[in-house]
Amino acid sequence: MNGLAAAFGSLVSGWIADRHGRYIAFFGSGLIQAGVAILLLKAPRSPFMFGLGILLYATSQGGNYGAFSALVFHVAGSRAVATKYAILTSLGYVPISYMTTFDGFAHDRWGTAGMLLSEASLGVAFTALALFALWRVRRINRAPRLSHS
């Protein structure tokens, strides 16, 4: 079921990326996954809610992967795409590794609720930081250039 849920999330985020833009799909999927973590934090601790929560999380994670792939293809352009895609995707696995480590640390330190809250908080914080960086880069690129003639 998790694989089907992730595939569904990936399809939805790909559709959103095509119709509304890759950045919207990418940052939106991250915020949705943070929202799922908050839902899991607030939900009653029961076997049914655990199963539902895992499926929602798998769906949002699939959405993240689909949106990330769409963004990487967009950024890779049209020359040496396979090489650029491989490099960018391998770099994209780094945050997965450190979040897995961080989640383990947060769970050991603050329990399940603390882990979910810290994961959601980091998701929102890094989305805000990345959007700010993207805004700055676009603003700098639009600034008029002074010629030194």
Side-chain angles (χ1 to χ4, degrees):
M1 292 296 292
N2 275 354
L4 292 174
F8 175 74
S10 185
L11 287 170
V12 169
S13 69
W15 182 84
I16 291 170
D18 285 345
R19 278 149 189 84
H20 302 287
R22 278 101 180 121
Y23 289 107
I24 289 173
F26 181 69
F27 292 121
S29 69
L31 293 175
I32 288 170
Q33 190 155 23
V36 169
I38 296 296
L39 282 173
L40 290 170
L41 173 67
K42 299 295 183 184
R45 304 284 198 275
S46 70
F48 174 77
M49 288 308 296
F50 178 80
L52 181 62
I54 291 298
L55 287 176
L56 286 173
Y57 199 84
T59 304
S60 68
Q61 192 170 34
N64 289 145
Y65 291 145
F68 176 75
S69 293
L71 185 59
V72 169
F73 278 123
H74 174 71
V75 170
S78 60
R79 298 190 62 193
V81 176
T83 302
K84 291 177 191 173
Y85 183 81
I87 291 168
L88 292 171
T89 301
S90 67
L91 292 172
Y93 290 128
V94 173
I96 295 169
S97 298
Y98 73 70
M99 274 312 294
T100 302
T101 302
F102 178 79
D103 281 348
F105 164 80
H107 185 270
D108 291 347
R109 177 107 180 172
W110 303 302
T112 302
M115 177 197 68
L116 291 168
L117 182 60
S118 61
E119 183 171 321
S121 299
L122 283 175
V124 170
F126 280 111
T127 298
L129 181 65
L131 284 170
F132 176 75
L134 183 62
W135 172 77
R136 288 287 296 155
V137 166
R138 286 183 170 178
R139 189 168 172 233
I140 289 168
N141 287 339
R142 276 191 240 132
R145 306 275 191 253
L146 298 176
S147 92
H148 297 304
S149 27

